[in-house]
Amino acid sequence: MTPVKPVPLLNAANVLTVVRMVLVPVFVGCVVASGMTGDSWQLAAGIIFVIASATDYVDGWIARAHNLVTSFGKVADPIADKALTGAALVLLSIYDKLPWWVTLVILVREWGVTALRFWVIRHGVIPASRGGKAKTALQILAIGWYLSPLPDGLAAVGPWLMFAAVAVTVVTGADYVLRAIRLRRSPLPFPGPAPAVAPPADEPVV
């Protein structure tokens, strides 16, 4: 039987997660410095948001492809992701670029899903769906659009993108609730012997 090698805490996936967490206050600082007035600070904020969002995809791919999943990554990755998205939404609402109800709907869904993950964790993990991945992509696109200092013609597309993001966010959130309830009602898995090799990493739940 081949022993399972422990995954080092310091690995490329976790480093990218930490980088994303560090970029959150930098992003907030750029938005505040800009006052969302369309200057170079706002452009910098938009670029930082896109780069930080991209690390979420890259670190997940690295962790799954190279079996670098750690307990730290499982906890820190969704926290960093929601901190970035949440900060962006709140700031957009503070500067009257986005209605507060949009921010509240998305934040309640995101943190509610996180709570559901812990609620069903003893029963299993709900894998990411295509809808969940589409939700994440639409949120990033819509927020990035709002953050970018665009001319009026292009800026008018932003509300439509955000409407699509909110709709998919609500639908996938309801689907997640239903799947969590079904999983919670299922019997607890019987603990078996430890696997001979490391199992593949789960898809991130979004």
Side-chain angles (χ1 to χ4, degrees), residues 2 16 34 45 54-55 57 62 67 85 96 115 137 157 196:
T2 304
L16 285 174
S34 75
T55 65
Y57 286 95
I62 291 175
N67 198 23
T85 302
D96 294 325
V157 179

Side-chain angles (χ1 to χ4, degrees), residues 32 57 110 119 196:
V32 173
Y57 286 95
E110 296 300 324
W119 185 53

Side-chain angles (χ1 to χ4, degrees), residues 2-204:
T2 304
V4 178
K5 293 182 179 180
V7 179
L9 180 62
L10 183 60
N11 60 62
N14 286 347
V15 168
L16 285 174
T17 298
V18 172
V19 168
R20 186 160 71 261
M21 296 176 74
V22 171
L23 285 177
V24 173
V26 177
F27 162 74
V28 171
C30 288
V31 173
V32 173
S34 75
M36 292 300 292
T37 57
D39 62 7
S40 57
W41 283 109
Q42 184 179 340
L43 179 61
I47 293 173
I48 291 172
F49 178 81
V50 172
I51 292 174
S53 299
T55 65
D56 186 32
Y57 286 95
V58 176
D59 65 13
W61 176 82
I62 291 175
R64 294 188 297 273
H66 300 281
N67 198 23
L68 295 176
V69 178
T70 63
S71 297
F72 170 81
K74 289 180 179 179
V75 174
D77 184 74
I79 290 176
D81 181 36
K82 288 172 176 54
L84 177 66
T85 302
L89 291 169
V90 169
L91 286 168
L92 287 172
S93 293
I94 287 175
Y95 286 101
D96 294 325
K97 301 296 182 180
L98 189 67
W100 275 105
W101 71 264
V102 172
T103 294
L104 292 175
V105 166
I106 294 178
L107 292 184
V108 167
R109 187 275 189 195
E110 296 300 324
W111 290 105
V113 165
T114 299
L116 283 174
R117 291 180 65 187
F118 286 102
W119 185 53
V120 303
I121 195 168
R122 292 181 59 201
H123 294 259
V125 175
I126 301 176
S129 65
R130 291 183 179 178
K133 294 176 181 178
K135 178 269 304 179
T136 301
L138 280 170
Q139 284 184 6
I140 292 172
L141 178 61
I143 293 172
W145 204 279
Y146 270 83
L147 288 169
S148 302
L150 300 171
D152 292 342
L154 288 175
V157 179
W160 293 99
L161 292 174
M162 189 59 74
F163 174 79
V166 171
V168 176
T169 295
V170 172
V171 171
T172 56
D175 175 67
Y176 195 97
V177 170
L178 293 175
R179 290 195 290 166
I181 292 174
R182 287 197 294 266
L183 183 59
R184 179 76 179 185
R185 290 176 177 174
S186 65
L188 289 172
F190 183 79
V197 295
D202 289 318
E203 285 283 331

